[in-house]
Every structure is written in structure tokens, then in C-alpha cells.
């Protein structure tokens, strides 16, 4: 029997424990120390985010965003249904009602043209999710937000090191466009720290308050900078800072970001080139990257013509010791939210729930293993 190929394998650059040791030896291991600052500055400089705050997860960063925009009971937030639960949970926790948008025909990301008719006088924010690290059409979304005075919070969990090219021809990093953006460094993402995340703040009106919410509702950060004589409780907040242990781990990854990205892109390209003909012969779609988006090789997925064929493919790959997995169950059909959903049918979202399949994608996937996956798929008969 062939060695099994997992779906994901967290990649370690080798320097993680070295930097963790250093963090431990400095004697400060709680949050907002040397490594937290190094990571935040790295992201601000490389991607043009105005201000970054590391968090313990993308979920946390989304929760911070929901507090920052002052959501109140009954406010509405527009987002795709084909996404992870945290995208919605963060806003539900503040009492919001979620209004789900369908996915596009040619991409699991939300259909920008379906947003406007969902906007009401209760709408407060739009939350685009850059599925597979591929940008939503941000010009359309930012224009809508400006017209209707809404906030845009990018769920950029999968979108580190990916870009959007706007109508003006300028290439902007995902996460630098919305008022606020949330990233994940969970071990299933491109750049990892086990659990981990970041809030990027691009609208300066949120900067001071974000730091307070991050520090349990206190003005401790100002105190440490010598701006106030004592620190105290000044606002809502929670414990959103990661420890220096996590930040030092993340630093080792950031030093190798280009290498990690190049490797993932090479794997993605191999899949794409070698599966292209097979896919079109079998009525299977490969991922599409719109002209306005770059590809950060977060994910390689196939879309089958129906659920039966996808299930057959999963089982066939499993019999060859290869783990390929489906993805989200659309949130509007989830047991938690289906009774709260307004009943609109979201057919594309349902279709991705039923037919999308993700192939193994990780740094250490060898050429031999990629060929094994590709050859197994080619043996699969619809
Ligand atoms: C991974 C992911 C999250 C959650 O990230 P955590 O860091 O695990 O909280 C949220 N949204 C999307 C789209 C994701 O892919």
C-alpha cells in the first residue's frame, strides 16, 4: 500500500523553536512584546495595512471588528453563505442579523452584483470573504459601501500575500482595502502559528479604540507609551492578544514567506496544468482566477457536476490513500441558522456545498506525491 498523503501538513521553517527560545529568554512572554511588534511592522510595511494588531485567531479579529463598528441588536450584515462559521458568529455575538449572499457561478466567492438589492436601512456592513485567497471584486463592494455608507470588513483569513487590481490599475494587497480586515494563521493556512490571527485597520478612526478593545477594554497600550499616568477600564474589550510564544513562532514563518509562497504556487500550477485536459473531459471545473485577482495558492479545488460524482472521487482517492476533502456546509442551511435565514434560495452556494473538492496542498508535498494524486484522479471514471 502506498504511503498515505494527508490533506494538510503544517510546515515548519526550522527557526520556530529558536525564536520561541529567544522570546522565553527575554523574560517577557505575554503579548505585545518584541515579536508581536516585529510581525505587525512586517505586515504594515509589506502590504500597506495602516495598522496591524496580532490576535489569537481570525475569529478574534472578526469579533474585534464587530465591536469596533458599534453593531447593535437588529443591525444587518451582508456576507456569503459559503464561508466558515466565524465570519457570521462574530457579528451574531453582537446581536446582528446575517443576510446571506449567493456565490458566483464561476467562483465560490460572493456575487457582488447580488448585494445591492439586499441593502436596507438596517444594513451596517458588508463582509467579503476572499475564498481560496482569490479576491472579491473590491471596486464594486467599496463603491456600494460608499453609496450606502456601510463598513467593509474583509475576511482575509485565506488571503495573505494576495492582491486585487482595481479599475485604476493599481495592485493592492487583500486586507488593505476594507475599513477593517481579518487574517488567520491557523495551521491550515499558508502562514501559520498554530492558532493565530490579525486585525488590519485601514480606517484611522478605529485605531485608538482597536488597541483598547485588544487590551481588555483598558488604555494599557497608551500607558506603556507614557501617554497616560495610569491605566484603567475605558471601553468594552476582551483578551485578544496572543502571547510572545505565538508571535515568535509566526516570525520564523514570515522570514520565509516568499519561499513558502513560491513552493505553494509551484504545486498549484502543476495541478492546474496536468489536470486541465482531464477536467474538461470529465465535466469537472478547475479554480478560476478573475483578471482582477492574483492567486496566493491557498487552495486547489475541483468542482464536480454533482454530489454523487464528488463522493465517488473522494472514495476513489481514499482507496489510493489520498485524503481530499469537501469544504463548507452553506451557513444558511446549517442547523444553527436555517430557522433564522430569510428563506431565499442560494443555489450556487448549495452547489459548492455539494460539489467542491479540495486536493492536498502543503509545502512538503513532493513531486512524486503530486504525480500520484494526479494519476489517481486520471484513473477515476465519472
Ligand atoms: C480559517 C478561517 C477563519 C477562521 O480562522 P481562525 O484563525 O481559525 O479563527 C475564518 N474565516 C475563513 C474564511 C477561514 O478560512
Amino acid at each position: 500500500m502506498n504511503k498515505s498523503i494527508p490533506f494538510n501538513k503544517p510546515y515548519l521553517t526550522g527557526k520556530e523553536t529558536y525564536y520561541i527560545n529567544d522570546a522565553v529568554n527575554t523574560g517577557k512572554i505575554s503579548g505585545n512584546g518584541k515579536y508581536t511588534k516585529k510581525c505587525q511592522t512586517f505586515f504594515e510595511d509589506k502590504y500597506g495595512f495602516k495598522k496591524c494588531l496580532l490576535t489569537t485567531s481570525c475569529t478574534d479579529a472578526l469579533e474585534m471588528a464587530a465591536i469596533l463598528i458599534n453593531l447593535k441588536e437588529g443591525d444587518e450584515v451582508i456576507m456569503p453563505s459559503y464561508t466558515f462559521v466565524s465570519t457570521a458568529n462574530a457579528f451574531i455575538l453582537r446581536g446582528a442579523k446575517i443576510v446571506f449572499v449567493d456565490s458566483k457561478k464561476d467562483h465560490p466567492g460572493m456575487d457582488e452584483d447580488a448585494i445591492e438589492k439586499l441593502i436596507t436601512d438596517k444594513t451596517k456592513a458588508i463582509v467579503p470573504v476572499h475564498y481560496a485567497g482569490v479576491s472579491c471584486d473590491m471596486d464594486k463592494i467599496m463603491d456600494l459601501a460608499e453609496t450606502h455608507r456601510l463598513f467593509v470588513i474583509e475576511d482575509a483569513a485565506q488571503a495573505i500575500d494576495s492582491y486585487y487590481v482595481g479599475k485604476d490599475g493599481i495592485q493592492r494587497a487583500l486586507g488593505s482595502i476594507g475599513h477593517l480586515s481579518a487574517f488567520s494563521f491557523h495551521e491550515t493556512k499558508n502562514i501559520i502559528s498554530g492558532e493565530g490571527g490579525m486585525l488590519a485597520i485601514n480606517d484611522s478612526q478605529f485605531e485608538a479604540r482597536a488597541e483598547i478593545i485588544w487590551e481588555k477594554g483598558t488604555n494599557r497600550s497608551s500607558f506603556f507609551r507614557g501617554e497616560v499616568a495610569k491605566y484603567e477600564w475605558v471601553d468594552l474589550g476582551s483578551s485578544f492578544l496572543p502571547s510572545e510564544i505565538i508571535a515568535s513562532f509566526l516570525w520564523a514563518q514570515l522570514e520565509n514567506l516568499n519561499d513558502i509562497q513560491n513552493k505553494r504556487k509551484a504545486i498549484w500550477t502543476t495541478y492546474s496544468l496536468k489536470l486541465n485536459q482531464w477536467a474538461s473531459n470529465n465535466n469537472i471545473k478547475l479554480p478560476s482566477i478573475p483578471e482582477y485577482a492574483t492567486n496566493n495558492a491557498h487552495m486547489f479545488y475541483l468542482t464536480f457536476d454533482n454530489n454523487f460524482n464528488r463522493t465517488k472521487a473522494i472514495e476513489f482517492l481514499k482507496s489510493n490513500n489520498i485524503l481530499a476533502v469537501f469544504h463548507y456546509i452553506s451557513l444558511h442551511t446549517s442547523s444553527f441558522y436555517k430557522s433564522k435565514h430569510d428563506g431565499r434560495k442560494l443555489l450556487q452556494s448549495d452547489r459548492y456545498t455539494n460539489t467542491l473538492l479540495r486536493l492536498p496542498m502543503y509545502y512538503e508535498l513532493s513531486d512524486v506525491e503530486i504525480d500520484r494524486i494526479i494519476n489517481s484522479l486520471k484513473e477515476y471514471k465519472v
Side-chain angles (χ1 to χ4, degrees):
M1 191 68 171
N2 274 323
K3 209 168 131 253
S4 79
I5 301 179
F7 168 66
N8 180 53
K9 185 171 174 219
Y11 171 62
L12 301 179
T13 68
K15 288 290 272 300
E16 284 80 2
T17 48
Y18 172 81
Y19 288 126
I20 289 174
N21 252 311
D22 183 52
V24 170
N25 289 332
T26 63
K28 172 166 167 73
I29 52 174
S30 62
N32 203 11
K34 172 171 120 183
Y35 285 101
T36 300
K37 293 190 173 100
K38 274 166 93 83
C39 292
Q40 290 174 174
T41 305
F42 174 94
F43 287 117
E44 289 160 3
D45 291 349
K46 186 168 172 71
Y47 297 117
F49 309 139
K50 288 240 175 64
K51 184 184 170 75
C52 291
L53 294 174
L54 291 191
T55 56
T56 51
S57 63
C58 177
T59 304
D60 269 0
L62 289 164
E63 287 178 19
M64 284 182 71
I67 297 172
L68 277 166
I69 63 168
N70 273 329
L71 274 183
K72 46 181 202 315
E73 194 80 31
D75 283 346
E76 294 174 4
V77 177
I78 296 176
M79 65 179 64
S81 175
Y82 193 72
T83 184
F84 189 58
V85 291
S86 294
T87 319
N89 254 331
F91 300 93
I92 299 272
L93 279 167
R94 314 297 321 153
K97 174 174 178 244
I98 307 298
V99 178
F100 289 118
V101 189
D102 207 358
S103 298
K104 286 175 276 213
K105 277 215 168 87
D106 60 353
H107 193 274
M110 71 172 164
D111 181 357
E112 299 85 2
D113 298 324
I115 297 173
E116 188 155 29
K117 58 179 179 294
L118 300 173
I119 296 174
T120 71
D121 53 9
K122 291 208 170 119
T123 308
K124 195 81 189 262
I126 305 173
V127 185
V129 179
H130 304 301
Y131 186 81
V134 173
S135 184
C136 296
D137 192 340
M138 292 307 289
D139 279 341
K140 283 188 184 168
I141 293 171
M142 297 311 289
D143 285 351
L144 279 175
E146 202 178 305
T147 308
H148 298 275
R149 301 174 149 271
L150 308 173
F151 292 116
V152 174
I153 298 161
E154 294 175 69
D155 182 338
Q158 305 171 11
I160 196 70
D161 202 47
S162 201
Y163 295 83
Y164 172 71
V165 185
K167 284 182 296 218
D168 56 9
I170 296 173
Q171 180 167 294
R172 293 180 178 82
L174 299 187
S176 72
I177 304 165
H179 302 87
L180 298 162
S181 305
F183 286 91
S184 175
F185 307 119
H186 185 264
E187 71 168 28
T188 51
K189 306 302 202 270
N190 292 25
I191 300 295
I192 63 174
S193 60
E195 302 281 352
M198 180 172 74
L199 179 72
I201 302 145
N202 302 310
D203 182 339
S204 52
Q205 67 163 306
F206 293 120
E207 278 185 21
R209 194 165 170 239
E211 218 174 44
I212 289 167
I213 291 166
W214 191 55
E215 277 277 24
K216 298 117 185 148
T218 73
N219 55 355
R220 186 153 72 171
S221 297
S222 299
F223 173 69
F224 285 137
R225 282 194 297 266
E227 295 160 6
V228 291
K230 58 179 171 42
Y231 81 84
E232 60 175 335
W233 186 14
V234 294
D235 202 334
L236 281 178
S238 189
S239 187
F240 289 120
L241 311 75
S243 83
E244 280 288 293
I245 314 264
I246 287 176
S248 54
F249 186 113
L250 183 62
W251 181 247
Q253 298 266 313
L254 295 184
E255 277 192 336
N256 291 276
L257 187 140
N258 289 338
D259 174 47
I260 293 170
Q261 289 298 87
N262 288 338
K263 187 70 199 292
R264 293 185 74 106
K265 285 178 195 168
I267 295 169
W268 200 100
T269 305
T270 304
Y271 272 141
S272 176
L273 292 174
K274 294 195 175 173
L275 287 173
N276 197 22
Q277 190 58 48
W278 164 82
S280 62
N281 293 347
N282 288 280
N283 215 6
I284 291 162
K285 295 231 160 27
L286 301 187
S288 76
I289 314 282
E291 253 176 35
Y292 55 71
T294 65
N295 175 24
N296 71 348
H298 173 60
M299 192 193 295
F300 195 92
Y301 60 90
L302 307 170
T303 329
F304 287 76
D305 48 0
N306 61 49
N307 183 254
F308 180 81
N309 288 336
R310 181 185 70 178
T311 306
K312 232 171 70 174
I314 292 176
E315 279 163 12
F316 184 76
L317 289 170
K318 207 189 234 164
S319 71
N320 286 299
N321 244 342
I322 296 164
L323 194 65
V325 294
F326 54 84
H327 209 184
Y328 305 125
I329 311 292
S330 294
L331 299 181
H332 74 286
T333 67
S334 65
S335 54
F336 180 66
Y337 214 76
K338 67 176 173 234
S339 62
K340 302 175 187 73
H341 176 60
D342 54 29
R344 278 173 303 114
K345 288 210 179 334
L346 304 173
L347 296 176
Q348 299 307 324
S349 185
D350 291 342
R351 187 169 60 81
Y352 290 111
T353 298
N354 291 323
T355 63
L356 186 144
L357 181 64
R358 295 177 292 161
L359 299 182
M361 167 61 93
Y362 52 89
Y363 185 98
E364 287 169 89
L365 198 59
S366 69
D367 290 343
V368 174
E369 289 169 322
I370 299 170
D371 278 340
R372 220 181 96 201
I373 297 165
I374 290 168
N375 291 334
S376 298
L377 279 169
K378 287 183 174 170
E379 279 170 37
Y380 156 88
K381 299 269 177 316
V382 171

